[in-house]
Amino acid sequence: MRGPYGPRFIVPLGGLAGLAMRILGVETSCDETCAAVVEDGRRVLSNVVASQVDLHRKYGGVVPELASRAHLEALVPVVTEALEQAATAAADVDAVAVVHRPGLIGSLVLGLTAAKTLAWLHAKPLIGIDHVESHIYAACLERETLPFPCVALIVSGGHTSLYRCDGPRRRTLLGATTDDAAGEAFDKVASILGLPYPGGPSVDRAAEVGSPRAVHFSRPWLDREAFDFSFSGVKTAVLYHVRGKGTEAKHRPTRLSDQEVADVAASFQECVVDVLVGKTMRAADASGLDRVVVGGGVAANRRLRARLQEEATARGLDLVLPEMRFCTDNAAMVAGLAYHDLVAGRVDGLALEARA
Ligand code: KG4
Ligand code: ZN
């Protein structure tokens, strides 16, 4: 069978579910080099992440070429560490899973090449994983039961989308951002406010001592029926509020007291959280589902987690949040998701391609 990313084979492995199958996962789609070993799709035996934050800090964002070089250096030690922590040899895993789309192409190719090499060397099945799908799956790790069907909100640096999910690999898009992703807006607002890189966690921390009612930013598209999002307007509203209006605003310095920075951070965060929570709850209503799953780096935001929990409790919804360590990019979610492909006999060939 030829899939869109190279040939995909159906191998009859059916009755193997529950046989303590170990999968090695590799994830290099952006700026973290990750490897993990997960047993039976849910038990995380190791989860190693080599962050490149220090490398990209002085540029205020991820530099793709530097990211690729750093993956090249980190891949072997990170994979070795993940196998060691799981007390497993590469020869003993049941499959190698790797994120092959979407992401920075140079970064994806490196992880994919490492995974292919291991799969070939040890004659293991190779399983290609979609990065966004793996973020949804993060909420399944270390849990007894799978949280499907559900509405899933995926909020990261590159994605803000709502899905209806009927299984680990069965999702229907309900809506997505038409411009900036929520994480991207957090990162840009942090930079406007002069908060340290990476921006999301800095805004989260600064907002702790700020007032969410200090500045009113209008809630983009909250009153629309559709489940689409738009965050570039609120980012510009923050810029104009802080540096004054006009095309020159970008070049003006930010002169705010620490308290003013905290207030703007809290007000911006509240605006984004209102929109994310409001649309997610409406999607749950519209689809008649009583379970909500959240994934992606912004799912680590403490205000978002608290507000989602409040709303879910008030509506009698089951809210499934990933552990903090599984919110941002990691390979446990990749190895976990791949288990469902392996037991269904869906594996890829060595011709698997990377897609930006
Ligand atoms: O999922 P992820 O690690 O990578 C992508 O797939 O993009 O998400 C990274 C994004 C960044 O934009 C980062 O600023 C944001 O998640 N983020 C946060 C927090 N922690 C990470 N945003 C808000 N609050 C946080 N605590
Ligand atoms: Zn991600």
Side-chain angles (χ1 to χ4, degrees):
M1 179 172 69
R2 180 148 184 105
Y5 307 102
R8 171 153 263 218
F9 308 103
I10 302 291
V11 183
L13 295 174
L16 292 181
L19 283 183
M21 296 180 98
R22 291 184 172 190
I23 298 184
L24 169 68
V26 175
E27 146 72 59
T28 59
S29 64
C30 190
D31 61 339
E32 332 264 7
T33 315
C34 320
V37 179
V38 176
E39 193 168 79
D40 290 343
R42 274 172 275 174
R43 259 190 317 286
V44 180
L45 304 183
S46 64
N47 183 35
V48 179
V49 179
S51 168
Q52 300 179 6
V53 161
D54 293 339
L55 184 67
H56 301 290
R57 179 170 286 120
K58 71 174 166 194
Y59 304 101
V62 178
V63 182
E65 179 60 25
L66 293 182
S68 303
R69 285 163 192 262
H71 285 307
L72 186 59
E73 280 173 23
L75 261 162
V76 171
V78 164
V79 168
T80 306
E81 174 81 23
L83 288 166
E84 270 175 24
Q85 282 185 18
T88 308
D92 295 334
V93 300
D94 294 283
V96 180
V98 63
V99 166
H100 72 118
R101 68 186 156 120
L104 301 172
I105 191 68
S107 295
L108 286 170
V109 163
L110 284 160
L112 184 57
T113 306
K116 280 182 183 177
T117 307
L118 284 165
W120 175 73
L121 208 59
H122 300 287
K124 302 295 174 188
L126 177 72
I127 300 171
I129 293 290
D130 177 288
H131 180 69
V132 177
E133 228 156 47
S134 70
H135 268 307
I136 299 173
Y137 193 80
C140 303
L141 295 169
E142 301 290 3
R143 265 173 219 282
E144 286 302 311
T145 51
L146 291 179
F148 301 107
C150 64
V151 161
L153 170 71
I154 297 306
V155 261
S156 69
H159 305 271
T160 300
S161 322
L162 273 165
Y163 297 94
R164 179 199 165 99
C165 299
D166 290 289
R169 269 292 177 79
R170 291 173 58 207
R171 64 187 163 122
T172 313
L173 183 68
L174 302 174
T177 185
T178 54
D179 42 56
D180 289 2
E184 195 180 345
F186 266 93
D187 294 336
K188 287 177 178 166
V189 162
S191 151
I192 294 167
L193 293 175
L195 291 169
Y197 178 85
S202 294
V203 171
D204 188 337
R205 267 193 310 275
E208 218 172 2
V209 289
S211 162
R213 285 174 298 279
V215 189
H216 179 78
F217 297 113
S218 64
R219 278 41 181 164
W221 298 6
L222 185 54
D223 48 6
R224 283 203 196 184
E225 280 300 311
F227 298 115
D228 294 335
F229 300 90
S230 166
F231 293 111
S232 80
V234 61
K235 171 196 71 190
T236 308
V238 171
L239 178 72
Y240 288 175
H241 175 82
V242 170
R243 299 189 190 169
K245 289 203 170 133
T247 46
E248 288 303 301
K250 257 192 227 157
H251 308 292
R252 290 187 205 118
T254 296
R255 289 201 187 90
L256 297 182
S257 67
D258 287 352
Q259 188 55 50
E260 285 167 329
V261 166
D263 285 344
V264 175
S267 302
F268 158 78
Q269 177 175 270
E270 200 67 8
C271 169
V272 174
V273 167
D274 270 351
V275 173
L276 293 174
V277 174
K279 294 233 175 202
T280 304
M281 295 302 148
R282 203 178 311 141
D285 284 349
S287 51
L289 295 172
D290 59 4
R291 191 176 297 118
V292 170
V293 161
V294 186
V298 184
N301 183 269
R302 289 169 300 167
R303 183 69 181 148
L304 177 62
R305 292 172 85 93
R307 287 281 313 283
L308 281 166
Q309 194 58 70
E310 267 169 39
E311 280 296 318
T313 305
R315 290 160 185 258
L317 297 177
D318 180 19
L319 175 70
V320 186
L321 292 170
E323 287 179 29
M324 291 295 234
R325 65 189 172 129
F326 302 140
C327 288
T328 43
D329 290 348
N330 65 87
M333 62 189 187
V334 177
L337 176 55
Y339 168 78
H340 300 276
D341 283 325
L342 187 62
V343 295
R346 289 190 300 265
V347 299
D348 293 287
L350 292 178
L352 182 70
E353 291 165 10
R355 287 289 157 100

